Amino acid sequence: MTSPVIETLLPKTTTTSVVLLSGGLDSAVALTVARQQGSVKLALTVNYGQRAFANELTAAKGLAAWANVPHQVIDLPWLANLLPTGMQAAGASHHDLPTTGADGLSAVWVPNRNGVLLNIAAAFAEQLGANTVVFGANADEGQAFADNTPAYRQACTAALAYSTQNHVQVWAPLEQMSKRDIWVKGQALNVPLHTTWSCYEAAPTPCGVCMSCQHRATTVSHNV
Ligand SMILES: [Zn+2]
């Protein structure tokens, strides 16, 4: 048996995609870019027990409806048991946890989350005949998390050439962009950015304290 050929790491001219849609800024803009580039077969929102899931789902449902793409929720109850306390539904508040530096990163790290989610999306992509999986990796988070880097995305594509019959590719259209760049692009594309949810907490309004809220506050001149 011969090894599969590793296809180009760039997206095909016309993509048919499955998009990971958390309901945050990055995935909202990534979804919109993917829709521009081709056809989005499905947007997936994953419930892995994160505290902010209800808010994320409301945002994701609205964005999928706005983009006119099918939307599905995937439940991963087993992953809830692996979450850091700051992300668990009944865990400590982010107000009581470090939000900067290495400790802050550890407080929001979910074991192999992007690896798990990309492989789930790739399974749907193969079944739907889609050639691409899209996620919202970006340059800012790539500096902190190895699974947001182009190298990781390329490695995933290489692995999927072995584990999917149609050689699904991973595409991170925002991977060279800062959060600020993404915000500006989202505005240019008329993405309803005010409906996206970034906060790790479950409150009716963003907490303004957690790492994600801090990143968002530095991204936009007027936090919405
Ligand atoms: Zn927050």
Side-chain angles (χ1 to χ4, degrees):
M1 181 177 175
T2 58
S3 297
V5 174
I6 307 301
E7 298 183 19
T8 173
L9 298 174
L10 296 171
K12 294 179 172 68
T13 302
T14 301
T15 63
T16 51
S17 62
V18 172
V19 178
L20 288 170
L21 182 65
S22 72
L25 166 65
D26 307 322
S27 66
V29 178
L31 166 68
T32 308
V33 173
R35 194 187 55 169
Q36 274 193 324
Q37 185 80 13
S39 151
V40 176
K41 296 286 189 183
L42 182 65
L44 287 177
T45 300
V46 182
N47 178 8
Y48 50 90
Q50 70 274 41
R51 184 183 306 172
F53 174 70
N55 288 330
E56 291 180 3
L57 179 59
T58 298
K61 275 185 176 177
L63 288 161
W66 169 79
N68 195 28
V69 300
H71 181 237
Q72 186 168 334
V73 175
I74 304 296
D75 291 313
L76 301 179
W78 56 269
L79 189 49
N81 298 326
L82 309 184
L83 296 183
T85 179
M87 297 191 72
Q88 293 174 7
S93 167
H94 271 270
H95 299 194
D96 302 322
L97 294 169
T99 56
T100 58
D103 289 344
L105 296 178
S106 296
V108 297
W109 177 254
V110 179
N112 198 24
R113 175 176 51 187
N114 279 354
V116 170
L117 269 53
L118 285 168
N119 272 284
I120 289 171
F124 277 92
E126 180 176 354
Q127 195 272 336
L128 292 169
N131 56 33
T132 304
V133 163
V134 175
F135 79 127
N138 61 82
D140 286 353
E141 288 174 7
Q143 293 181 345
F145 300 110
D147 65 350
N148 271 254
T149 59
Y152 175 69
R153 187 256 308 155
Q154 292 166 6
C156 278
T157 293
L160 289 170
Y162 292 84
S163 62
T164 58
Q165 289 190 323
N166 62 336
H167 300 182
V168 171
Q169 297 187 88
V170 179
W171 183 29
L174 315 177
E175 68 185 9
Q176 306 290 346
M177 301 172 67
S178 67
K179 288 275 189 185
R180 178 65 191 167
D181 295 336
I182 294 167
W183 183 267
V184 170
K185 188 168 187 66
Q187 287 184 312
L189 295 173
N190 294 317
V191 179
L193 298 175
H194 62 284
T195 69
T196 62
W197 182 265
S198 300
C199 181
Y200 289 124
E201 296 290 343
T205 57
C207 74
V209 175
C210 74
M211 180 179 291
S212 188
C213 278
Q214 290 185 29
H215 286 167
R216 186 165 176 137
T218 58
T219 298
V220 298
S221 52
H222 301 289
N223 195 12
V224 298

